[in-house]
Amino acid sequence: MQIVSVTRAIAIVGLVLGLIGIVLRVQEIRKRPYKQDLSRTRGNVDQALLYAFTLGMAPWEKESTRLHWMAYVRGILFHVGAFVAIGVFLVSPWLAAIPFFLSLVAMLVTAVGAVAGFAGIGMRLAEENIRVLSLPDDYFAVFLTSLFVALAFAVLLWPVALPAFYVVAALLFVYIPFGKIRHCIYFFYSKFFFGQSFGQRGVIGKTEKRYLTEEII
Amino acid sequence: MTDEKFTDDRFKLTDEKAELALDILRQRLNRQLEASLEVCVRCGICAETCHYYVSNPKPEHVPAYRAEQLRKVYRQLSDPVAKAAPGWIGAAELDQEMVDQLMSAAFGTCTMCGRCVLNCPMGVDTRHIIRTARAMLTGIDMTPEGLKATVDIHLESGNNMGVNEEDYVDTLEWMEEELQAEVDDPTVKIPVNKKNARVMYTFNPREVKYFPYLIQAAAKIFNAANEDWTLSTESWDATNYGLFSGDDDAARTIANNLGQAVKNVGAEILVMAECGHGYRSQRWEAENWVGESYPFKVMSFVELMAQYIDEGRLELDPTVNDKRVTYHDPCNQARSGGIVEEPRYILRHTVMDFVEMEPHGIENYCCGGGGGMLSMSEFSKDRVAAGEAKAKQIQATGAEIVVTTCHNCLDQLAEVKRHYKLGVKVQNLSELVAEAIVWPRRAESPAEETE
């Protein structure tokens, strides 16, 4: 019982440090100048932004994700597993109160997520292109997150695994602002700029045939 | 070690040059760039989106690999972890080796076509990253010679081929006579410096120097559509290689000259010739370079031709173009400009047998002629090799004519055609439109009526 309290406290400290790091990262990017586009809008920016954050992420929407659908779906499962693992972390003091059905779903998602995560390391090692691109940070970040997801699964089955889960969670949270996991911060900016720039030019997010319906001049 | 292609002294990195290059990176580091530098997870699924990779699959041709070269420098500059463990996060000093890597990645093997941008699940704008790398290298006088000369000539003479005003006007007059003879109508004109015309048109200097028949074709289209149009002698070059060199100052000056000419003529619309990057520069980038919105509209000749057809201002006979035609989307017009439907609309009215390449539109492969590649002879071999993806696309259509709306594409496609022995003809869209025009019967003059 005592070790659970101690490790939980460590995890909370890790979470706070991680959040501080995230806030600092957000402050840093917000300090950068924002390049306003002065050209006349051709498309529907709102539609394009909606597309960028929704349908644009579907596996069939891009040639790259159609070709590499297995890697992409693996990534999605891993990320869903990670989000559910964070959820498990947040409700971990009240594990016994989680309805059985919810617990079962969380177990399934985290189990699949953990397998998908560890498989990612294997894919990185196996495929030449990704291996050449990969940094030690990539392997460590994926391993740490996969371990976190695997331990989330474990604590749902065996609460005795809580101390290990908390220690790994603390490490993970502290590491977020320093390594590749911080892409979770920049993702929202990047997708926003993607939708905005291609939407401005009418490249994505079109709902109808523009030429035949919109007056060009 | 310096790349053997770049042995000139100006390609040697000094401490001052390294500091200047880093300063340029610091200055250009806006939110958009930082997001693109930070968000890549090195998944590598962008590989097949690149025509260099498709034609020659190796890790160095993966778009993320190219962008990674600048990321290394960025991390060294801004990431606190880089001080303690540069290898852990892939940070690197900007030394001679790094500069050589950047030269190869930014100038040698990327046309900034944006296909990887559209296909990145994270939204990484590799185009932006590569142009930043080019800007850094240009800032320290490391632009490949041909590209540098193209920008310099434009700044010195007002156009990128050094055509003087006398030759320009002579060519216009010559083409006016040719057109009058072609349509048997001495009243057709190529107006120059006409005040307050609705449309001011531009040319790619290659049209003036090597392809004057395209001037004739454009003039025929404007006259047939009964357009109120003009050309300017003050500034008429549609190109802007500042886009490719990454030199915003040069790009701004070139864009400003053209913008000023439109204002002086008093035109409502600036129409860009069939020039992919010229259209992109003036339509989408210029106002950002100049720092103000234009009081006039900018559009592509492709958009205008489509509008003429839609409004019934051009009568076309597609039976004169009865061969099978396919269309190559210039990246700067389709992927960076959204012009996809217009050329197809035009072709449906202009030719009898139009067939699409696969993929096409915004997913079309770059032909290899983008990014100013044709001006950089150091990379010619790689450029032609990268055209293999396009050659296969063309071959699969069974077309006899490949139509495009960009001069760089036109030149690259002609080279691809020769190299890969494709039995096709490469043409501009306006040529086919001009060919298909049923010349309008003008109202007979009162004198003729009397006779």
Side-chain angles (χ1 to χ4, degrees), chain B residues 404-415:
Chain B
T404 191
T405 48
C406 165
H407 272 276
N408 281 329
C409 297
L410 197 76
D411 289 351
Q412 168 73 356
L413 289 170
E415 213 168 325

Side-chain angles (χ1 to χ4, degrees), chain B residues 17-88:
Chain B
K17 281 191 169 192
E19 198 41 54
L20 180 57
L22 293 175
D23 267 347
I24 292 168
L25 177 56
R26 281 189 202 100
Q27 286 162 21
R28 298 177 76 112
L29 203 51
N30 55 28
R31 274 184 223 174
Q32 284 92 332
L33 180 59
E34 182 162 308
S36 282
L37 288 168
E38 288 280 359
V39 82
C40 179
V41 290
R42 293 168 288 283
C43 66
I45 71 167
C46 51
E48 291 85 357
T49 67
C50 177
H51 58 291
Y52 275 91
Y53 185 88
V54 171
S55 302
N56 181 8
K58 58 179 187 175
E60 292 80 3
H61 284 168
V62 177
Y65 181 92
R66 292 187 197 107
E68 198 61 17
Q69 306 315 309
L70 186 65
R71 282 197 186 96
K72 289 178 187 172
V73 179
Y74 159 76
R75 292 186 195 115
Q76 187 67 33
L77 191 72
S78 66
D79 197 324
V81 181
K83 305 286 179 285
W88 184 262

Side-chain angles (χ1 to χ4, degrees), chain B residues 29-157:
Chain B
L29 203 51
N30 55 28
R31 274 184 223 174
Q32 284 92 332
L33 180 59
E34 182 162 308
S36 282
L37 288 168
E38 288 280 359
V39 82
C40 179
V41 290
R42 293 168 288 283
C43 66
I45 71 167
C46 51
E48 291 85 357
T49 67
C50 177
H51 58 291
Y52 275 91
Y53 185 88
V54 171
S55 302
N56 181 8
K58 58 179 187 175
E60 292 80 3
H61 284 168
V62 177
Y65 181 92
R66 292 187 197 107
E68 198 61 17
Q69 306 315 309
L70 186 65
R71 282 197 186 96
K72 289 178 187 172
V73 179
Y74 159 76
R75 292 186 195 115
Q76 187 67 33
L77 191 72
S78 66
D79 197 324
V81 181
K83 305 286 179 285
W88 184 262
I89 56 158
E93 295 283 353
L94 186 65
D95 54 15
Q96 186 68 55
E97 195 184 337
M98 195 67 242
V99 161
D100 292 346
Q101 295 272 17
L102 281 175
M103 289 289 289
S104 168
F107 285 116
T109 58
C110 179
T111 55
M112 302 194 289
C113 76
R115 199 164 189 273
C116 56
V117 184
L118 203 66
N119 274 286
C120 176
M122 306 299 286
V124 174
D125 192 342
T126 305
R127 252 179 338 191
H128 191 174
I129 293 172
I130 294 298
R131 189 165 186 272
T132 304
R134 287 187 175 200
M136 290 165 67
L137 294 165
T138 294
I140 56 175
D141 196 23
M142 289 197 188
T143 326
E145 196 55 48
L147 180 54
K148 180 181 155 72
T150 307
V151 175
D152 289 347
I153 291 169
H154 200 149
L155 291 171
E156 284 161 21
S157 70

